[in-house]
Amino acid sequence: MFSQVLTISRFTIIESLRNRLLLLTILVIGISFALVEFIGDLAITEHRVTQVAILAAFLRMSAVVMLTLFVVSSTVRELNDKTLEMILAMPIRRGNYYLGKLLGYMYIALLVSVIFSVLLLLYADSEQVLIWTISLFLELILVVALSLVMLFTFNQVPSALTGVFIIYGASRIVTSIFLMAKYPIIAHTSVAQQFMDSFIELLTWLLPDLHRFTQTEWLAYNTAEWSMLLPLMGQTLIYLLFLSFIALFDFYRKNF
Amino acid sequence: MHYNHFLHKDRPVSDVPRSVKILLLSALFLQLMWHSFQEPIVAKADDLPAPLSTRTYVLSSLGEPIAASKFLNLWLQAFDNQPGASISFHQLNYPRLTQWLDTSLELDDRGHYPMLVAARVYGSIKDPDKQRIMTDYVFYKFNENPQKYWRWLAHVVITAKHELKDFDLALKYANALADETAGLDVPYWAKDMKIIVLEDMGQVEAAKILVGALIESKEITDPYELNFLVQKIAVLEEKSLKKRQSVEK
């Protein structure tokens, strides 16, 4: 079973290399470097903090977008080319296929995280960059799993991408929205407002707390500590299991 | 048909129906006519708008408040350079400017960028009313957090003294700098600015009494500060003597 998983993950990695994903990553690095150096020249003070804050936010978003696009488009291509059906016609369990894909995409997420962190070393403390990189890797694992869930649910690139970006965006800001709802400027008295407050609170229970991940503050003000990674790993593991079983639930129900 | 026809990827232009060619040219002509009836594009400088709430920027930056703060700093700094137009700081709405600086500080409370631009950029224009708005803003922020903002209040003491030529205002800020930073990690030159201001105001006796009281209080433990105060009292004594001698003459 494990050899099947490893074979599928190996071919996933080979596909990413052939699709020049790493080349795209390096291109993003080049653009980021030019952008950040220009921004550094604009700032009249706090050059390093300004550069690192904008660079970290840009790299984080770029990593999420790149990986989502790659995961969704390559899996849709397998669906449309009937490659997936051919694989499943062999004695390969669907669970093994999913696990192989997940492992392969996790390896790519690790490569993307490491490549992006190299640029950050020019502007931030190395220990903080290392903690940030590990956190980004954990965040990208969740993005990969979410992309697979959306794809198995919708089967179409636009719908899957929209679903991923909506849920990812909501996970990033759900804590802020919850605080806004909990401490409003004017008290919420109507039934509709109270329903919305309850719905938002429900979302905080269902969505991962991504605002704790990959914080720019770590790089800007050197506030990260290794102990901060433990709850992030815990959240990643639990939510990865949750997303994986959702994906498998949909995948096993599919008729090819 | 010649075999060349099949070698090229696209068909020749003659294969396009005449109606499509005529309608294409007509559509191009229509676009040019439409554009000619539009108002001419003229550079027009926009006024500084009011900032949105801090939470809006947190949400729109997908939970990256520090990056949003830095981006806002740069946007505000470059606001005087607009497409085809350049506006001077004199034309900026200064009360609204302080709202933007507040928003930036709320997004990143560890940043000093807004205070630097308030004290040294927007506070350096040759418009006393607008300079006072900025100096009062720095004073207001200092009172919120003296440990964090003392250095900017020191800047505006200089601004009040040398640019606004308002010694009473400079003394007010210098007094706050001394009183609110007692026990805090603030260098002595900042805490003792009120002595310099009093001296420059010609209130030599008051400055002398202040320095003497500081030395006698035994609160000053920094040897450099003690040395400065001892030297200062000697200078003030000399000034006081010269003043008495000139009055007697």
Side-chain angles (χ1 to χ4, degrees):
Chain A
M1 170 207 155
F2 204 59
S3 63
Q4 292 177 347
V5 169
L6 284 179
T7 306
I8 292 169
S9 68
R10 191 164 66 90
F11 278 99
T12 305
I13 295 164
I14 292 171
E15 184 195 357
S16 79
L17 295 174
R18 286 196 181 149
N19 280 337
R20 298 183 177 85
L21 181 67
L22 291 185
L23 196 64
L24 178 63
T25 310
I26 291 165
L27 185 65
V28 169
I29 292 258
I31 293 168
S32 307
F33 178 70
L35 179 72
V36 153
E37 285 298 308
F38 173 66
I39 284 169
D41 283 342
L42 289 178
I44 55 177
T45 188
E46 296 184 333
H47 297 88
R48 190 196 67 81
V49 175
T50 303
Q51 286 178 311
V52 90
I54 294 176
L55 179 63
F58 181 72
L59 289 178
R60 185 184 183 185
M61 283 312 302
S62 301
V64 167
V65 169
M66 271 173 44
L67 215 55
T68 307
L69 284 172
F70 173 69
V71 169
V72 168
S73 60
S74 80
T75 314
V76 162
R77 192 170 51 245
E78 276 194 7
L79 276 169
N80 293 339
D81 294 347
K82 311 292 181 194
T83 311
L84 177 59
E85 290 179 31
M86 189 192 74
I87 293 171
L88 294 179
M90 297 183 224
I92 294 176
R93 293 173 69 174
R94 294 189 181 197
N96 290 353
Y97 172 82
Y98 171 79
L99 211 57
K101 281 296 201 184
L102 187 66
L103 223 59
Y105 291 137
M106 277 168 60
Y107 180 79
I108 294 159
L110 179 65
L111 282 181
V112 168
S113 304
V114 168
I115 292 172
F116 278 172
S117 68
V118 167
L119 181 60
L120 281 168
L121 285 172
L122 296 176
Y123 302 100
D125 178 69
S126 52
E127 187 182 351
Q128 303 294 316
V129 170
L130 187 56
I131 296 172
W132 186 91
T133 306
I134 294 169
S135 176
L136 178 64
F137 171 58
L138 297 175
E139 188 172 340
L140 290 179
I141 288 173
L142 292 180
V143 168
V144 162
L146 181 62
S147 303
L148 289 171
V149 166
M150 288 295 122
L151 189 65
F152 291 145
T153 306
F154 294 113
N155 280 346
Q156 300 288 333
V157 171
S159 319
L161 286 178
T162 306
V164 171
F165 292 140
I166 286 174
I167 293 177
Y168 176 76
S171 303
R172 289 281 296 269
I173 62 175
V174 71
T175 308
S176 300
I177 296 175
F178 172 70
L179 289 172
M180 283 164 63
K182 198 171 176 188
Y183 303 105
I185 297 166
I186 303 167
H188 290 174
T189 51
S190 71
V191 172
Q193 284 171 328
Q194 286 171 0
F195 171 77
M196 281 311 298
D197 291 348
S198 306
F199 178 70
I200 290 166
E201 190 168 350
L202 179 66
L203 283 182
T204 63
W205 285 79
L206 294 177
L207 293 174
D209 201 4
L210 286 187
H211 96 279
R212 292 182 204 276
F213 285 64
T214 329
Q215 293 182 38
T216 302
E217 185 189 338
W218 298 345
L219 301 173
Y221 299 114
N222 296 343
T223 55
E225 290 170 5
W226 289 100
S227 58
M228 287 174 176
L229 287 176
L230 289 173
L232 302 189
M233 286 177 184
Q235 168 74 98
T236 304
L237 188 63
I238 290 167
Y239 215 76
L240 178 62
L241 283 172
F242 180 50
L243 288 174
S244 297
F245 285 118
I246 294 175
L248 286 172
F249 184 88
D250 271 342
F251 195 35
Y252 272 103
R253 288 185 63 230
K254 284 241 177 300
N255 262 331
F256 293 103
Chain B
M1 255 187 243
H2 199 271
Y3 72 90
N4 275 338
H5 180 85
F6 296 100
L7 286 180
H8 296 287
K9 197 176 168 189
D10 294 332
R11 294 181 181 178
V13 174
S14 54
D15 280 2
V16 177
R18 183 180 287 188
S19 58
V20 172
K21 289 180 210 171
I22 291 170
L23 285 170
L24 171 62
L25 289 170
S26 304
L28 176 62
F29 177 71
L30 210 63
Q31 162 60 26
L32 294 172
M33 286 300 295
W34 174 263
H35 183 77
S36 70
F37 285 117
Q38 301 306 306
E39 283 179 16
I41 299 170
V42 174
K44 183 174 165 280
D46 292 329
D47 290 332
L48 186 64
L52 302 172
S53 70
T54 310
R55 284 170 170 172
T56 307
Y57 292 115
V58 170
L59 292 177
S60 54
S61 65
L62 292 182
E64 292 274 9
I66 297 177
S69 171
K70 301 310 173 199
F71 185 75
L72 284 183
N73 289 339
L74 294 176
W75 176 84
L76 189 64
Q77 181 189 309
F79 185 78
D80 54 318
N81 281 315
Q82 296 183 27
S86 187
I87 59 175
S88 70
F89 286 167
H90 292 271
Q91 293 169 279
L92 288 176
N93 183 333
Y94 265 49
R96 195 161 277 178
L97 204 50
T98 60
Q99 293 173 1
W100 279 99
L101 298 176
D102 261 340
T103 303
S104 179
L105 282 172
E106 276 183 53
L107 288 168
D108 179 16
D109 57 7
R110 269 176 276 214
H112 285 267
Y113 202 106
M115 299 304 285
L116 179 126
V117 294
R120 302 307 305 159
V121 177
Y122 299 118
S124 293
I125 66 168
K126 299 290 180 234
D127 184 333
D129 293 333
K130 294 201 165 174
Q131 278 185 296
R132 284 175 199 280
I133 292 173
M134 280 299 139
T135 57
D136 283 345
Y137 173 71
V138 173
F139 180 58
Y140 160 72
K141 295 306 288 186
F142 167 80
N143 283 318
E144 278 187 356
N145 192 337
Q147 174 70 68
K148 191 176 166 206
Y149 296 125
W150 64 264
R151 57 178 57 84
W152 307 114
L153 192 63
H155 273 287
V156 300
V157 168
I158 308 290
T159 303
K161 199 156 85 85
H162 293 287
E163 293 183 35
L164 287 170
K165 308 272 190 250
D166 187 341
F167 286 94
D168 291 326
L169 187 65
L171 187 61
K172 173 187 162 187
Y173 294 153
N175 277 334
L177 200 48
D179 298 338
E180 301 297 327
T181 58
L184 298 179
D185 184 23
V186 173
Y188 73 87
W189 59 262
K191 291 183 188 179
D192 295 341
M193 282 184 96
K194 63 180 178 179
I195 300 169
I196 313 291
V197 174
L198 280 170
E199 189 183 344
D200 288 344
M201 283 171 79
Q203 296 184 21
V204 180
E205 288 301 322
K208 239 177 67 177
I209 292 167
L210 182 59
V211 173
L214 278 171
I215 293 172
E216 281 173 21
S217 70
K218 309 268 190 250
E219 286 174 8
I220 313 296
T221 54
D222 187 317
Y224 294 101
E225 187 175 4
L226 266 173
N227 190 40
F228 165 74
L229 291 173
V230 164
Q231 286 182 351
K232 181 52 73 178
I233 211 166
V235 167
L236 291 170
E237 287 274 0
E238 201 180 317
K239 277 193 178 178
S240 181
L241 186 64
K242 279 184 186 168
K243 201 174 173 183
R244 277 201 295 270
Q245 284 172 348
S246 67
V247 166
E248 280 165 10
K249 280 180 190 170

mmCIF file of all heavy atoms in Angstrom, chain A residues 165-187:
data_model
loop_
_atom_site.group_PDB
_atom_site.id
_atom_site.type_symbol
_atom_site.label_atom_id
_atom_site.label_comp_id
_atom_site.label_asym_id
_atom_site.label_seq_id
_atom_site.Cartn_x
_atom_site.Cartn_y
_atom_site.Cartn_z
ATOM 1 N N PHE A 165 -10.584 30.063 -2.211
ATOM 2 C CA PHE A 165 -10.231 31.423 -1.821
ATOM 3 C C PHE A 165 -11.217 31.999 -0.805
ATOM 4 O O PHE A 165 -10.827 32.731 0.096
ATOM 5 C CB PHE A 165 -10.114 32.337 -3.043
ATOM 6 C CG PHE A 165 -8.951 32.004 -3.934
ATOM 7 C CD1 PHE A 165 -9.062 32.051 -5.305
ATOM 8 C CD2 PHE A 165 -7.733 31.616 -3.387
ATOM 9 C CE1 PHE A 165 -7.983 31.720 -6.123
ATOM 10 C CE2 PHE A 165 -6.647 31.277 -4.190
ATOM 11 C CZ PHE A 165 -6.778 31.325 -5.567
ATOM 12 N N ILE A 166 -12.491 31.635 -0.950
ATOM 13 C CA ILE A 166 -13.480 32.132 0.017
ATOM 14 C C ILE A 166 -13.200 31.543 1.400
ATOM 15 O O ILE A 166 -13.177 32.261 2.405
ATOM 16 C CB ILE A 166 -14.909 31.796 -0.439
ATOM 17 C CG1 ILE A 166 -15.314 32.716 -1.596
ATOM 18 C CG2 ILE A 166 -15.911 31.958 0.715
ATOM 19 C CD1 ILE A 166 -16.642 32.379 -2.214
ATOM 20 N N ILE A 167 -12.985 30.236 1.461
ATOM 21 C CA ILE A 167 -12.770 29.603 2.764
ATOM 22 C C ILE A 167 -11.429 30.040 3.360
ATOM 23 O O ILE A 167 -11.320 30.296 4.563
ATOM 24 C CB ILE A 167 -12.856 28.069 2.638
ATOM 25 C CG1 ILE A 167 -14.288 27.691 2.293
ATOM 26 C CG2 ILE A 167 -12.419 27.388 3.929
ATOM 27 C CD1 ILE A 167 -14.511 26.230 2.066
ATOM 28 N N TYR A 168 -10.412 30.163 2.526
ATOM 29 C CA TYR A 168 -9.113 30.619 3.025
ATOM 30 C C TYR A 168 -9.215 32.041 3.562
ATOM 31 O O TYR A 168 -8.744 32.346 4.658
ATOM 32 C CB TYR A 168 -8.056 30.551 1.915
ATOM 33 C CG TYR A 168 -6.717 31.107 2.339
ATOM 34 C CD1 TYR A 168 -5.876 30.371 3.164
ATOM 35 C CD2 TYR A 168 -6.306 32.367 1.927
ATOM 36 C CE1 TYR A 168 -4.662 30.889 3.576
ATOM 37 C CE2 TYR A 168 -5.085 32.887 2.336
ATOM 38 C CZ TYR A 168 -4.270 32.133 3.151
ATOM 39 O OH TYR A 168 -3.065 32.651 3.561
ATOM 40 N N GLY A 169 -9.846 32.921 2.771
ATOM 41 C CA GLY A 169 -10.017 34.309 3.213
ATOM 42 C C GLY A 169 -10.823 34.393 4.500
ATOM 43 O O GLY A 169 -10.472 35.127 5.426
ATOM 44 N N ALA A 170 -11.885 33.599 4.565
ATOM 45 C CA ALA A 170 -12.711 33.602 5.773
ATOM 46 C C ALA A 170 -11.912 33.117 6.981
ATOM 47 O O ALA A 170 -12.041 33.664 8.080
ATOM 48 C CB ALA A 170 -13.938 32.709 5.566
ATOM 49 N N SER A 171 -11.079 32.114 6.782
ATOM 50 C CA SER A 171 -10.265 31.588 7.891
ATOM 51 C C SER A 171 -9.277 32.637 8.384
ATOM 52 O O SER A 171 -8.947 32.680 9.558
ATOM 53 C CB SER A 171 -9.497 30.347 7.441
ATOM 54 O OG SER A 171 -10.383 29.379 6.959
ATOM 55 N N ARG A 172 -8.792 33.460 7.457
ATOM 56 C CA ARG A 172 -7.822 34.494 7.859
ATOM 57 C C ARG A 172 -8.477 35.597 8.672
ATOM 58 O O ARG A 172 -7.857 36.188 9.553
ATOM 59 C CB ARG A 172 -7.176 35.123 6.603
ATOM 60 C CG ARG A 172 -6.224 34.229 5.843
ATOM 61 C CD ARG A 172 -4.883 34.157 6.497
ATOM 62 N NE ARG A 172 -4.232 35.450 6.498
ATOM 63 C CZ ARG A 172 -3.421 35.895 5.564
ATOM 64 N NH1 ARG A 172 -3.138 35.144 4.527
ATOM 65 N NH2 ARG A 172 -2.873 37.085 5.651
ATOM 66 N N ILE A 173 -9.742 35.927 8.356
ATOM 67 C CA ILE A 173 -10.360 37.107 8.988
ATOM 68 C C ILE A 173 -11.483 36.768 9.954
ATOM 69 O O ILE A 173 -12.088 37.670 10.528
ATOM 70 C CB ILE A 173 -10.877 38.103 7.933
ATOM 71 C CG1 ILE A 173 -11.968 37.460 7.060
ATOM 72 C CG2 ILE A 173 -9.732 38.625 7.077
ATOM 73 C CD1 ILE A 173 -12.609 38.416 6.088
ATOM 74 N N VAL A 174 -11.776 35.495 10.148
ATOM 75 C CA VAL A 174 -12.940 35.129 10.970
ATOM 76 C C VAL A 174 -12.793 35.626 12.412
ATOM 77 O O VAL A 174 -13.780 36.044 13.040
ATOM 78 C CB VAL A 174 -13.191 33.599 10.922
ATOM 79 C CG1 VAL A 174 -12.121 32.827 11.688
ATOM 80 C CG2 VAL A 174 -14.571 33.271 11.454
ATOM 81 N N THR A 175 -11.570 35.633 12.920
ATOM 82 C CA THR A 175 -11.377 36.120 14.296
ATOM 83 C C THR A 175 -11.711 37.605 14.390
ATOM 84 O O THR A 175 -12.365 38.045 15.348
ATOM 85 C CB THR A 175 -9.917 35.882 14.743
ATOM 86 O OG1 THR A 175 -9.591 34.522 14.520
ATOM 87 C CG2 THR A 175 -9.732 36.222 16.197
ATOM 88 N N SER A 176 -11.269 38.387 13.392
ATOM 89 C CA SER A 176 -11.569 39.827 13.396
ATOM 90 C C SER A 176 -13.066 40.062 13.301
ATOM 91 O O SER A 176 -13.622 40.909 14.000
ATOM 92 C CB SER A 176 -10.871 40.520 12.228
ATOM 93 O OG SER A 176 -9.493 40.368 12.312
ATOM 94 N N ILE A 177 -13.735 39.293 12.437
ATOM 95 C CA ILE A 177 -15.184 39.460 12.274
ATOM 96 C C ILE A 177 -15.904 39.071 13.567
ATOM 97 O O ILE A 177 -16.859 39.733 13.985
ATOM 98 C CB ILE A 177 -15.702 38.604 11.094
ATOM 99 C CG1 ILE A 177 -15.092 39.102 9.786
ATOM 100 C CG2 ILE A 177 -17.209 38.646 11.020
ATOM 101 C CD1 ILE A 177 -15.447 38.263 8.590
ATOM 102 N N PHE A 178 -15.413 38.016 14.210
ATOM 103 C CA PHE A 178 -16.036 37.574 15.468
ATOM 104 C C PHE A 178 -15.922 38.669 16.529
ATOM 105 O O PHE A 178 -16.895 38.956 17.233
ATOM 106 C CB PHE A 178 -15.357 36.291 15.946
ATOM 107 C CG PHE A 178 -15.785 35.851 17.314
ATOM 108 C CD1 PHE A 178 -17.068 35.360 17.516
ATOM 109 C CD2 PHE A 178 -14.926 35.923 18.394
ATOM 110 C CE1 PHE A 178 -17.483 34.952 18.777
ATOM 111 C CE2 PHE A 178 -15.337 35.521 19.654
ATOM 112 C CZ PHE A 178 -16.615 35.038 19.853
ATOM 113 N N LEU A 179 -14.752 39.300 16.603
ATOM 114 C CA LEU A 179 -14.567 40.372 17.598
ATOM 115 C C LEU A 179 -15.441 41.575 17.271
ATOM 116 O O LEU A 179 -15.987 42.219 18.162
ATOM 117 C CB LEU A 179 -13.097 40.787 17.651
ATOM 118 C CG LEU A 179 -12.156 39.765 18.271
ATOM 119 C CD1 LEU A 179 -10.708 40.189 18.087
ATOM 120 C CD2 LEU A 179 -12.457 39.550 19.738
ATOM 121 N N MET A 180 -15.577 41.873 15.975
ATOM 122 C CA MET A 180 -16.447 42.991 15.572
ATOM 123 C C MET A 180 -17.895 42.709 15.964
ATOM 124 O O MET A 180 -18.622 43.595 16.399
ATOM 125 C CB MET A 180 -16.370 43.200 14.052
ATOM 126 C CG MET A 180 -15.109 43.896 13.608
ATOM 127 S SD MET A 180 -14.796 43.752 11.844
ATOM 128 C CE MET A 180 -16.179 44.594 11.159
ATOM 129 N N ALA A 181 -18.311 41.444 15.808
ATOM 130 C CA ALA A 181 -19.689 41.079 16.145
ATOM 131 C C ALA A 181 -19.897 41.053 17.658
ATOM 132 O O ALA A 181 -20.945 41.432 18.163
ATOM 133 C CB ALA A 181 -20.003 39.719 15.540
ATOM 134 N N LYS A 182 -18.853 40.613 18.368
ATOM 135 C CA LYS A 182 -18.996 40.466 19.818
ATOM 136 C C LYS A 182 -18.984 41.823 20.525
ATOM 137 O O LYS A 182 -19.641 41.999 21.545
ATOM 138 C CB LYS A 182 -17.847 39.607 20.342
ATOM 139 C CG LYS A 182 -18.102 39.037 21.718
ATOM 140 C CD LYS A 182 -17.028 38.033 22.093
ATOM 141 C CE LYS A 182 -17.278 37.566 23.509
ATOM 142 N NZ LYS A 182 -16.218 36.741 24.037
ATOM 143 N N TYR A 183 -18.200 42.784 19.980
ATOM 144 C CA TYR A 183 -18.105 44.107 20.594
ATOM 145 C C TYR A 183 -18.529 45.162 19.588
ATOM 146 O O TYR A 183 -17.711 45.923 19.092
ATOM 147 C CB TYR A 183 -16.668 44.372 21.061
ATOM 148 C CG TYR A 183 -16.157 43.332 22.019
ATOM 149 C CD1 TYR A 183 -15.243 42.371 21.589
ATOM 150 C CD2 TYR A 183 -16.607 43.274 23.329
ATOM 151 C CE1 TYR A 183 -14.780 41.390 22.450
ATOM 152 C CE2 TYR A 183 -16.141 42.296 24.198
ATOM 153 C CZ TYR A 183 -15.236 41.363 23.754
ATOM 154 O OH TYR A 183 -14.782 40.378 24.604
ATOM 155 N N PRO A 184 -19.825 45.207 19.275
ATOM 156 C CA PRO A 184 -20.274 46.162 18.251
ATOM 157 C C PRO A 184 -20.322 47.587 18.796
ATOM 158 O O PRO A 184 -20.363 47.806 20.006
ATOM 159 C CB PRO A 184 -21.687 45.659 17.927
ATOM 160 C CG PRO A 184 -22.150 45.016 19.184
ATOM 161 C CD PRO A 184 -20.930 44.459 19.862
ATOM 162 N N ILE A 185 -20.333 48.532 17.888
ATOM 163 C CA ILE A 185 -20.447 49.949 18.285
ATOM 164 C C ILE A 185 -21.861 50.203 18.835
ATOM 165 O O ILE A 185 -22.049 50.895 19.832
ATOM 166 C CB ILE A 185 -20.144 50.873 17.081
ATOM 167 C CG1 ILE A 185 -18.689 50.640 16.643
ATOM 168 C CG2 ILE A 185 -20.369 52.331 17.428
ATOM 169 C CD1 ILE A 185 -18.347 51.213 15.305
ATOM 170 N N ILE A 186 -22.853 49.619 18.124
ATOM 171 C CA ILE A 186 -24.236 49.718 18.598
ATOM 172 C C ILE A 186 -24.683 48.288 18.923
ATOM 173 O O ILE A 186 -24.423 47.371 18.135
ATOM 174 C CB ILE A 186 -25.156 50.311 17.515
ATOM 175 C CG1 ILE A 186 -24.625 51.678 17.092
ATOM 176 C CG2 ILE A 186 -26.595 50.419 18.005
ATOM 177 C CD1 ILE A 186 -25.255 52.220 15.841
ATOM 178 N N ALA A 187 -25.334 48.128 20.051
ATOM 179 C CA ALA A 187 -25.723 46.778 20.490
ATOM 180 C C ALA A 187 -26.645 46.109 19.476
ATOM 181 O O ALA A 187 -27.512 46.754 18.874
ATOM 182 C CB ALA A 187 -26.413 46.857 21.852
#
